[in-house]
Amino acid sequence: IVHNNEIWVSTKRKGIVLLTRNNVNYYTQQFTTNEGLINNRTSHIAIDREENIWVASKKGVVQNPSSILSFLDKNDGLEITNIYDFIIDAENISWIATEQGIFLMGKDEKGKNITREFIINDELLGKAFISIYEDEKGYIWLGTYGYGVFCIHPDRKTVENFSTSDGLANKNVISITGKNSLIVFSTLGG
């Protein structure tokens, strides 16, 4: 993720790397379990409207407000692990893709983190979600292992499933991205 003069890079097994640009030079800093990460296997980095950096890992989520790493766990309202992807939508709600399902994280009226599983209907139950993307119209796209991609309508009440019969190369959607009205799915089939 690129933020101001910083580039945050998630790695497979070596934590995160922060590249900071100072005029023409780049300086690197690595964050591992020694610096406060809960796991060196990171999967995604996101930034919220308050400019907090969030890092998803196999064992949970780490927040970096003002360059201080903070681990979020069950005491902070986050009791999930095996996080594959993480986004913060236009309404500042965190969407978390895990082996156990899709979870939403926000704050209650006292500012405490609250997490709940996102369930519209039984179609989303029992699925491992591995990728998330919010498009320009507010649709949330959820990639799965073996079940294609689910599209959540902006009203958050309607879900639609797309699979190989709809044109996906494979039912394992490992990454989703896009620009303007174009949405791109990366699958195990290409």
Side-chain angles (χ1 to χ4, degrees):
I1 187 166
V2 178
H3 177 265
N4 297 327
N5 64 339
E6 300 174 334
I7 300 172
W8 292 77
V9 181
S10 173
T11 69
K12 191 170 185 176
R13 287 191 166 83
K14 297 194 180 207
I16 55 176
V17 176
L18 170 62
L19 294 130
T20 306
R21 185 175 181 184
N22 184 358
N23 295 329
V24 294
N25 297 319
Y26 279 95
Y27 300 94
T28 62
Q29 185 176 5
Q30 186 168 10
F31 295 93
T32 64
T33 52
N34 294 335
E35 288 78 31
L37 282 181
I38 53 172
N39 191 294
N40 287 332
R41 294 185 70 177
T42 60
S43 57
H44 190 76
I45 300 173
I47 185 169
D48 66 18
R49 281 191 247 169
E50 296 171 355
E51 299 190 358
N52 294 309
I53 304 291
W54 297 80
V55 180
S57 77
K58 188 160 179 71
K59 291 188 178 179
V61 177
V62 174
Q63 179 188 18
N64 178 23
S66 307
S67 300
I68 300 170
L69 292 174
S70 300
F71 168 58
L72 301 179
D73 61 12
K74 64 183 177 181
N75 297 325
D76 300 297
L78 186 66
E79 295 190 41
I80 52 178
T81 59
N82 296 321
I83 297 170
Y84 290 107
D85 205 355
F86 183 95
I87 67 164
I88 300 160
D89 71 12
E91 297 175 11
N92 216 28
I93 301 293
S94 300
W95 292 73
I96 305 168
T98 75
E99 287 181 0
Q100 296 81 27
I102 291 292
F103 293 84
L104 302 180
M105 185 172 69
K107 298 208 181 266
D108 64 14
E109 59 280 349
K110 296 178 182 175
K112 183 175 171 148
N113 289 322
I114 53 170
T115 305
R116 66 176 175 86
E117 187 170 7
F118 181 75
I119 301 171
I120 292 178
N121 57 36
D122 291 345
E123 203 172 4
L124 298 178
L125 292 175
K127 302 202 173 35
F129 290 92
I130 56 175
S131 55
I132 309 174
Y133 175 74
E134 180 182 23
D135 70 19
E136 66 179 4
K137 294 181 181 177
Y139 288 86
I140 302 289
W141 297 84
L142 308 169
T144 69
Y145 277 128
Y147 298 96
V149 66
F150 289 88
C151 179
I152 309 297
H153 191 274
D155 68 9
R156 307 298 185 243
K157 297 177 184 173
T158 316
V159 63
E160 191 172 357
N161 181 237
F162 298 94
S163 189
T164 51
S165 61
D166 300 300
L168 279 177
N170 185 283
K171 292 182 181 181
N172 300 296
V173 181
I174 56 175
S175 181
I176 308 169
T177 190
K179 185 173 184 177
N180 300 325
S181 62
L182 177 68
I183 299 171
V184 180
F185 304 100
S186 174
T187 73
L188 292 180

